[in-house]
Amino acid sequence: MHPVIAVPAIIAIVYRAYSHKSLTPSGLAIATLTAIVHSLHPSSLPFTLLGVFFLAGTAATKVKHDIKSTLTLSSTTGSPASQAAPRNHIQVLANSGVAALLVLLSLNTRAARRECFSKASPDIFMVGIIANYAAVAADTFSSELGILSKTKPRLITTLQSVPPGTNGGVTFAGLIAGLGGAAIIAVPSLLLLDFCSGWGLGEKALLGLAIALWGALGSLLDSLLGALLQASVVDRRTGKIVEGEGGEKVLVSTSTQRTKAGAEAIHRDKSKDEGLHKRRDNGKTTESDNHESRTILSGMDIMDNNQINVLMATTMSLGAISVVKAFK
């Protein structure tokens, strides 16, 4: 990417993140570094995908924020979670770190200097970068918009009805939103890829469809990994999911064990439960009280949300590369 274009583009995207308070200071620092890495690629596509994902993702996060904030609880305050909280450096890397690594790996390859995108021997690193952003965009749209579904989500592993915000909970609206998020990545990919001669309009359309479907598949994989490897913690007083700050794990009291009471907590009488589980200090619920009121609803407490995102993005990027290499 030419420096004349790259420098003002990086400044613009970083300034927007700063002015809209989309990122924490550490998030801004890592985002700046990530943007610089993306701009090193000869093609403008990697940087464009980063920018499109950032702008579309932050827009999706802010859709009906007032409603979404009432659906889950914050792990640190015990009050309604802030869905529009600024993202930190770990969250930035979880979404764009794999793509940045692929950009660096591609810099000294023939593929990075190739003038056109060939059907016979496509740039596998570019394929991985596109797959990464299609998957993380689909996951972001599915999570941020699917939580607004009028139908309750169902756990992808058991089809059990679960509260909004449950890891691995899926809705039809969320699946459609995820497909739309991946399509947003497919459009600039088709516009900015320098196709070699021989690519017909129909073949390009099929490639765009493949990108969108691959991204949607990534969203489903993220749900499956979340349902299996990430603990979903529910507050027994309200029946709402407790979200970890910055995608981190949610603390649960060691005295709280996961049993079928976790599922029953969703339907438990709120006033009775408050009388049994709520201790007060000067009229306020203490942090210890918040931990005592939590129980694991589903999933194993192995990974946090950021680690799940990295695992999904890595799998989908390497998976796309493997498919292309197998069929070229």
Side-chain angles (χ1 to χ4, degrees):
M1 190 172 176
H2 199 283
V4 173
I5 300 175
V7 173
I10 293 171
I11 293 174
I13 196 169
V14 172
Y15 176 75
R16 188 189 185 284
Y18 170 77
S19 62
H20 286 70
K21 299 181 179 179
S22 303
L23 301 173
T24 64
S26 63
L28 277 171
I30 295 300
T32 302
L33 180 61
T34 302
I36 292 173
V37 170
H38 279 65
S39 70
L40 296 177
H41 198 283
S43 170
S44 62
L45 181 55
F47 183 87
T48 300
L49 294 183
L50 171 66
V52 169
F53 167 70
F54 169 70
L55 294 175
T58 52
T61 300
K62 295 180 179 180
V63 171
K64 295 187 177 181
H65 163 62
D66 55 334
I67 297 176
K68 290 191 288 188
S69 64
T70 66
L71 299 177
T72 58
L73 300 177
S74 167
S75 63
T76 54
T77 65
S79 58
S82 176
Q83 295 285 330
R87 300 310 197 231
N88 60 32
H89 62 290
I90 298 176
Q91 291 170 300
V92 172
L93 287 174
N95 288 305
S96 60
V98 173
L101 179 60
L102 289 173
V103 169
L104 291 175
L105 291 174
S106 72
L107 293 181
N108 293 320
T109 65
R110 290 179 58 193
R113 297 187 294 272
R114 187 172 296 158
E115 295 183 357
C116 60
F117 192 76
S118 169
K119 287 193 294 184
S121 183
D123 180 353
I124 59 172
F125 291 108
M126 186 66 80
V127 168
I129 294 167
I130 294 173
N132 173 89
Y133 283 113
V136 296
D139 178 53
T140 299
F141 271 61
S142 180
S143 300
E144 295 294 343
L145 302 181
I147 196 172
L148 296 170
S149 174
K150 293 182 179 179
T151 60
K152 292 196 69 173
R154 292 187 176 275
L155 197 62
I156 192 171
T157 52
T158 65
L159 299 183
Q160 173 191 2
S161 180
V162 290
T166 300
N167 300 311
V170 296
T171 63
F172 180 73
L175 295 176
I176 296 301
L179 186 62
I184 290 176
I185 296 298
V187 172
S189 298
L190 296 180
L191 292 176
L192 295 180
L193 270 176
D194 187 11
F195 292 98
C196 296
S197 60
W199 281 88
L201 185 61
E203 291 173 314
K204 293 180 181 179
L206 285 176
L207 176 61
L209 178 61
I211 293 172
L213 292 176
W214 191 259
L217 181 62
S219 176
L220 286 174
L221 175 61
D222 188 270
S223 295
L224 179 61
L225 293 173
L228 295 174
L229 304 178
Q230 185 180 359
S232 289
V233 178
V234 67
D235 178 71
R236 291 181 292 178
R237 298 166 300 184
T238 63
K240 294 181 179 181
I241 291 296
V242 182
E243 292 191 336
E245 183 177 6
E248 297 179 348
K249 290 183 179 182
V250 177
L251 295 178
V252 180
S253 173
T254 54
S255 63
T256 304
Q257 299 179 355
R258 179 173 58 172
T259 63
K260 65 178 181 179
E264 293 171 354
I266 301 173
H267 308 289
R268 182 170 299 187
D269 180 81
K270 180 180 176 181
S271 61
K272 180 180 178 181
D273 192 68
E274 286 179 344
L276 290 173
H277 296 277
K278 211 173 185 181
R279 295 194 307 272
R280 295 184 177 275
D281 181 15
N282 293 327
K284 295 182 180 180
T285 305
T286 65
E287 185 173 353
S288 176
D289 295 327
N290 287 333
H291 294 177
E292 290 289 345
S293 72
R294 301 169 183 172
T295 187
I296 298 178
L297 176 66
S298 62
M300 295 181 287
D301 194 15
I302 297 176
M303 306 179 78
D304 64 22
N305 190 64
N306 298 316
Q307 293 167 333
I308 291 290
N309 287 344
V310 172
L311 179 58
M312 182 276 290
T314 302
T315 301
M316 297 309 296
S317 293
L318 295 181
I321 290 173
S322 299
V323 170
V324 169
K325 291 184 69 174
F327 286 94
K328 73 176 183 179

